[in-house]
Amino acid sequence: MQTAFQVSKPRLALNPRPMTRQSFLEDVRELVVTLSPGLADDTKELLKNTKLVYGMGDGSYRGICYYEAWQKTGKQALIEIAASGEESVTQLVGTLIHELGHVLAGKGHGHEATSLACCTKLGLANVVAAG
């Protein structure tokens, strides 16, 4: 019999791997892709196969999407989330979702309605481009 002073077994095991900003962003992408309603399987694959890097940046952007820039298994987009633009964890997540919205919208949509609607579809509210 368990008393109020005994500790029960934890329900969830902690993930023992070290958390870097890179792995954090990869985990966030996985959550966004998994939890966004109505994404077709090919769209999920597109977003999961986008090359994602946490890079230095040059101070002029928070994140950037390069279309068809990564060619490991075909032409894939590459997203860089810039350390030089980092303000908070919340901002990192918002920037990542914003850049995934660009991938989803496709080349040539910039910050127009199509791209912003894709950001909203991925769960980002109040989409605003910082640059």
Side-chain angles (χ1 to χ4, degrees):
M1 185 164 108
Q2 188 175 10
T3 68
F5 298 105
Q6 291 176 319
V7 177
S8 63
K9 275 179 102 173
R11 292 183 190 186
L12 299 174
L14 295 176
N15 188 346
R17 72 180 169 98
M19 180 64 72
T20 63
R21 282 175 175 77
Q22 178 73 34
S23 62
F24 171 76
L25 291 167
E26 290 167 357
D27 288 352
V28 168
R29 173 179 53 188
E30 182 66 29
L31 283 172
V32 168
V33 170
T34 301
L35 298 176
S36 294
L39 292 183
D41 288 342
D42 59 336
T43 301
K44 290 179 181 182
E45 285 303 308
L46 170 72
L47 297 176
K48 287 181 181 181
N49 290 327
T50 296
K51 178 66 176 169
L52 176 61
V53 295
Y54 181 76
M56 184 56 208
D58 66 6
S60 65
Y61 58 90
R62 292 179 177 167
I64 193 163
C65 177
Y66 299 98
Y67 300 93
E68 300 178 357
W70 186 252
Q71 297 188 28
K72 185 170 183 172
T73 58
K75 292 186 175 184
Q76 299 158 294
L78 181 146
I79 292 174
E80 178 188 8
I81 304 299
S84 59
E86 182 179 336
E87 295 174 6
S88 68
V89 172
T90 303
Q91 177 265 316
L92 282 177
V93 170
T95 299
L96 173 59
I97 297 171
H98 177 97
E99 297 306 327
L100 288 170
H102 284 299
V103 173
L104 190 56
K107 191 174 183 177
H109 290 286
H111 291 117
E112 65 182 38
T114 301
S115 178
L116 300 180
C118 288
C119 294
T120 302
K121 185 173 185 173
L122 295 175
L124 186 61
N126 302 318
V127 182
V128 178

